[in-house]
Amino acid sequence: MPKPKEQSPATAALTFESALVRLEQVVRELESGDRTLEESLRLFQEGVGLARLCGQRLDEAEAKVEKLLDMQAGEPRTVPFAAGDAQ
Amino acid sequence: MRRQALTVRALTLYVKGVLDRDELLTDLWVQGELSNFKAHTSGHLYFTLKDEVAQVRCVMFRSAAQSLRFRPDHGMKVLAHGYISVYERDGNYQLYVREMEPAGLGALHLAYEQLKEKLGAEGLFDAARKRPLPLLPRKVGLVTSPTGAALRDMITVAQRRFPNVHLVLAPAQVQGADAPASLVQALRAVARVPGMDVVIIGRGGGSLEELWAFNDEQLARAIAACPVPVVSAVGHETDYTIADFAADVRAATPSAAAELAVPSKAELRGAVQMALGRMEKALRHRLQRERTRVLVLAQRPVLRRPLDRVLQQRQRLDDLGRRLSLAVAGGVRAGRGDLAQLAGRLEALSPLGVLARGYAIALDRNGAVVRDATSVRPGAEVRVLLHRGRLATRVVSVEPADL
């Protein structure tokens, strides 16, 4: 999946939580209005990139319900768990 | 020697004193079987506690009896907490009961209190140890029975809040003697799954005995040691199990646990959208401010009508031009009157007038006026215009002007 142009490598590695925290920071800085026009535009760009990343994170989890087997093993196996298995 | 005889009353008081001063007898637990149970209309309870060889009379006053959490019955094995004293009227010692529990349950409660105290002292339940739950967990672990409503409820709630949530079930026994070990193994296994960010451990509601596995010491320690934040969900609104104290977050029910562990996708998306909206608004305002600044500056005359100066100059120019034309026209009008005068002056200046005064005009062979003597050679033909008539001449000699 191609990386959006606005994202720096540092941004792309952020978790949803970190990105949202930074996004809210960016919003506050923009709202304070005490930045130069140039900085404001740069901040806006960063914010857009962060918002995009947040959206990615929300969508990238895969809907799954798995069950663990061999739980004594170092790395337990997983198999799909069907709702019907729960009586 | 005759001994001093005590009154019965004095004797009784003396015995009472002895009993009341004894450390053990003023606060003790007694285990026995209930018999001769009588609930008085007054609300006081009278019964006997006995074992194979002995018995003791008991009374539980109404205020204490009100806090009983079970119904005492003949033949029941109980634990009674209270003090020994003498009932003077009968000359009997009695157990005055403040608290009473069924023996089996009582033991459990005792164990619970003791374990709670022990682990609490070790700091296992400290608020500082509690970890916050991740805002967006990659995977959510469920340690619970694979059958039963608790699991179904958790899956339903989780998928409702976040449709593409990734759940991992670590099945375990949730009651019975094997349950604690089973729960510990499942918890450790699910925490090892890569990407596991939060675990829910729990079961649906039940009696104290059914929930008892969640008061196990090893399970509490495993929860405290878990590398991933743990939410306990032991289906009891008011009672806390030891696992509840050890967990990072306690939920009253499995469904509530799923609400805590799994975020609402719609809410999170909304938060991002709102942030975007606020940003756009802030930037718009910022740009508007800049635009206003520019507009204000642009209003200054220097910028609004930069041609002003030029136009002003041009206007002056036009003005002067007009006046000049007027002057000229006026001059012309004025001139007409002096025409005769002018004519006379012109006449005076006319070359013909000049001739009349005796001057001559020399023309060369081409008809051009000769002004410079050196422009002709000796022998050249030169015509001379006089006031009256002309002469055809030939140059004899040329003398340049003195410089």
Side-chain angles (χ1 to χ4, degrees), chain B residues 253-275:
Chain B
T253 64
S255 296
E259 298 250 357
L260 289 170
V262 179
S264 160
K265 188 170 186 180
E267 266 178 41
L268 290 181
R269 215 190 269 291
V272 175
Q273 287 305 115
M274 207 165 69

Side-chain angles (χ1 to χ4, degrees), chain A residues 16-17 27 31 33 35-37 40 47 58-59 61-68 71-74 81 86-87, chain B residues 135-136 146 148 151-152 159 162-169 171 185 189 192 265 269 275 278-279 286 289:
Chain A
F16 176 89
E17 189 157 5
V27 170
E31 283 179 341
R35 296 300 170 115
T36 67
L37 189 56
S40 300
L58 286 177
D59 290 328
E62 225 183 300
K64 248 190 217 178
V65 183
E66 295 177 299
K67 186 167 84 163
L68 286 185
M71 288 192 285
Q72 318 92 291
F81 178 82
Q87 285 143 16
Chain B
L135 189 59
L136 182 60
L151 177 62
R152 271 204 317 272
Q159 288 178 335
F162 206 99
N164 50 316
V165 69
H166 188 147
L167 301 170
V168 179
L169 166 67
Q185 182 183 73
R192 281 201 300 273
K265 188 170 186 180
R269 215 190 269 291
R278 281 167 66 190
M279 264 196 335
R286 188 74 185 76
R289 251 179 53 204

Side-chain angles (χ1 to χ4, degrees), chain B residues 42-70:
Chain B
S42 58
H44 304 319
L45 305 178
Y46 297 92
F47 52 97
T48 303
L49 277 184
K50 68 179 191 163
D51 58 21
E52 307 83 30
V53 292
Q55 65 180 46
V56 62
R57 292 250 290 265
C58 304
V59 59
M60 192 173 192
F61 295 128
R62 191 179 72 171
S63 51
Q66 266 164 2
S67 60
L68 273 179
R69 294 210 298 201
F70 72 105

Side-chain angles (χ1 to χ4, degrees), chain B residues 199-223:
Chain B
V199 174
I200 303 176
I201 182 166
R203 54 159 288 150
S207 66
L208 183 60
E209 282 110 333
E210 285 172 329
L211 305 181
W212 193 250
F214 289 83
N215 286 325
D216 180 80
E217 179 173 348
Q218 296 318 313
L219 179 60
R221 291 192 186 281
I223 289 173

